[in-house]
Amino acid sequence: MELTKKVFGQFKNKDVYEYTLTNEAGIAISAIPFGATLTKLVTPDKKGKRENITLNVESLEDFVRHRPFYGATIGRVAGRITKGKFSIDGKEYQVDINEGDNMLHGGPKGLDTKLWTIEVDESAGQLVFTYESKAGENGFPGTMQIKVTYTLTEGNDWVIDYEATTDEATLFNPTNHVYFNLTGDIKQPILDHQLELASSQYIPLAEENLPSEEKASVEGTPFDFQTAKPLKEAVLSDHEQIKQLAGLDHPFVLDKAQDQKGVLYEPESGREVSVYTDRNSAVVFTHNGEVDDYLIEGEPAKQYAGITLETQTLPDAINKEGFGDIILRPGETFRSRTTYHFGTRD
Ligand code: GLA
């Protein structure tokens, strides 16, 4: 394992460093403490060519100004909370809304906008980020101690471990918003990537992209990824749920029986990413519009420039029956793990 460090930018007049861990196989993860954000992920293709396979903006100013979520730690609660309202033990809360009347991705000052503390353990291949989220931040109760650990293994895994405690009952449902483009060239769309997901149900979206109450079967719909198929078969379909968003932005319910929940494969490069998680869902978003607020490699990020598999408990779980429990109480420790495994196929 090798560690390097360089200045990535400045935040509030302080240097923010980008740390890069590289393993024997030449896989490298880079991350910054701003947002506990993954800024680069380099893997070899089937011929050994090493390229970055994630979407990233190029400067800290772009992260601060445009909040692209690329590679960032999202929380306290990933996805949308309807009207920013919920109750815990009969007590009602109104958190800060930032998308229409709803809260998205932790609110206006979510975890992706915070400068975390970083500690590096080179021999363990770990970047350890910690952050204290004070009671009232984005309207949430409870002061929380949050730890996110990125581990790069010699077995070619990027392991994300979340750990958190609170001093008052609150909500916690984090994710990482990494977008993959396994071609190694973000100018290529992800439409020919093949996706396989251990998911027999998805959540149709209601108004304002909020999850609806009901789980729907994927059988006979473009949402069926139970056997691998090219993304374009779903993304370009005229299914009403997909057409209105010009792509996927849907929660998939992950089947409990399997540990490996998904595989993303790109035939040209031969790159393959397998996803493992202990959560019950992955929100699959296919970067459905061009983003021209900032440039990547001199160009706006195109429609379908990347795909993100946001592992989490189903969104808006606090307001939906049977979506999962995201309440964290004093005395408990929240623990969750998502692993991305990198390989190639001929
Ligand atoms: C999630 C949401 C999308 C969008 C992206 C970030 O996938 O569901 O609607 O907000 O994050 O751009």
Side-chain angles (χ1 to χ4, degrees):
M1 199 65 62
E2 188 190 292
L3 173 77
T4 58
K5 176 182 167 184
K6 65 167 205 225
V7 174
F8 186 79
Q10 279 76 36
F11 183 65
K12 295 186 176 160
N13 295 323
K14 264 181 70 182
D15 280 342
V16 174
Y17 288 88
E18 182 185 59
Y19 297 79
T20 300
L21 287 164
T22 307
N23 76 2
E24 299 284 332
I27 293 176
I29 61 168
S30 302
I32 55 172
F34 184 82
T37 300
L38 182 93
T39 47
K40 201 172 268 182
L41 204 165
V42 171
T43 71
D45 71 3
K46 64 184 174 194
K47 296 191 186 116
K49 189 172 177 205
R50 296 176 71 239
E51 287 162 313
N52 177 33
I53 58 160
T54 60
L55 294 191
N56 326 100
V57 295
E58 285 159 2
S59 73
L60 195 61
E61 290 78 60
D62 282 339
F63 273 110
V64 174
R65 203 172 310 143
H66 304 297
R67 216 185 160 194
F69 301 122
Y70 293 174
T73 297
I74 306 296
R76 299 183 185 188
V77 177
R80 296 175 175 85
I81 298 180
T82 303
K83 306 263 189 251
K85 284 188 202 298
F86 56 89
S87 64
I88 304 176
D89 302 332
K91 189 169 171 197
E92 289 184 13
Y93 294 93
Q94 171 71 61
V95 288
D96 302 347
I97 55 173
N98 59 328
E99 191 196 55
D101 289 338
N102 307 310
M103 176 184 261
L104 174 68
H105 290 337
K109 293 180 181 142
L111 295 177
D112 61 295
T113 70
K114 303 295 181 186
L115 187 62
W116 298 52
T117 300
I118 182 167
E119 273 176 56
V120 183
D121 184 339
E122 186 176 349
S123 57
Q126 287 186 333
L127 306 176
V128 182
F129 302 95
T130 49
Y131 177 69
E132 179 179 83
S133 175
K134 292 250 166 48
E137 200 170 82
N138 295 289
F140 286 104
T143 292
M144 294 188 68
Q145 309 299 330
I146 306 172
K147 180 157 117 180
V148 175
T149 305
Y150 290 175
T151 309
L152 177 67
T153 71
E154 290 301 347
N156 304 335
D157 295 322
W158 168 34
V159 184
I160 308 170
D161 282 301
Y162 302 90
E163 208 179 289
T165 55
T166 180
D167 64 1
E168 203 185 323
T170 192
L171 304 184
F172 195 55
N173 186 19
T175 191
N176 185 286
H177 213 306
V178 59
Y179 287 83
F180 294 107
N181 183 325
L182 304 184
T183 66
D185 173 8
I186 65 130
K187 289 171 186 124
Q188 310 280 334
I190 43 78
L191 294 173
D192 289 326
H193 285 46
Q194 294 175 18
L195 178 66
E196 183 183 336
L197 268 186
S199 168
S200 50
Q201 290 179 306
Y202 77 105
I203 311 292
L205 298 181
E207 275 168 26
E208 301 175 322
N209 289 358
L210 292 163
S212 61
E213 307 282 332
E214 300 296 329
K215 297 173 182 162
S217 168
V218 301
E219 294 297 339
T221 76
F223 293 93
D224 191 349
F225 289 99
Q226 293 176 104
T227 46
K229 71 176 184 202
L231 280 170
K232 64 182 169 207
E233 288 181 22
V235 171
L236 304 180
S237 94
D238 56 9
H239 189 287
E240 188 195 325
Q241 274 284 323
I242 293 176
K243 229 174 147 178
Q244 62 186 4
L245 300 171
L248 294 171
D249 191 1
H250 294 78
F252 284 78
V253 183
L254 299 174
D255 296 341
K256 285 202 198 81
Q258 283 162 276
D259 188 28
Q260 179 180 297
K261 301 294 171 27
V263 182
L264 185 67
Y265 168 65
E266 198 278 306
E268 196 79 8
S269 66
R271 288 192 181 92
E272 186 177 75
V273 179
S274 312
V275 187
Y276 301 78
T277 183
D278 51 19
R279 299 295 96 181
N280 69 3
S281 170
V283 173
V284 179
F285 178 55
T286 45
H287 202 283
N288 297 335
E290 176 165 308
V291 180
D292 56 9
D293 303 350
Y294 46 82
L295 301 180
I296 311 180
E297 293 173 16
E299 288 185 28
K302 301 252 161 47
Q303 186 181 38
Y304 312 133
I307 173 172
T308 171
L309 308 162
E310 302 159 58
T311 55
Q312 60 194 260
T313 297
L314 283 164
D316 210 19
I318 191 67
N319 293 313
K320 303 275 189 293
E321 249 338 279
F323 274 30
D325 180 9
I326 62 163
I327 298 176
L328 183 67
R329 297 177 186 281
E332 294 175 351
T333 301
F334 173 94
R335 283 196 185 83
S336 170
R337 172 175 284 187
T338 288
T339 300
Y340 293 106
H341 175 79
F342 307 103
T344 56
R345 244 195 272 164
D346 280 325

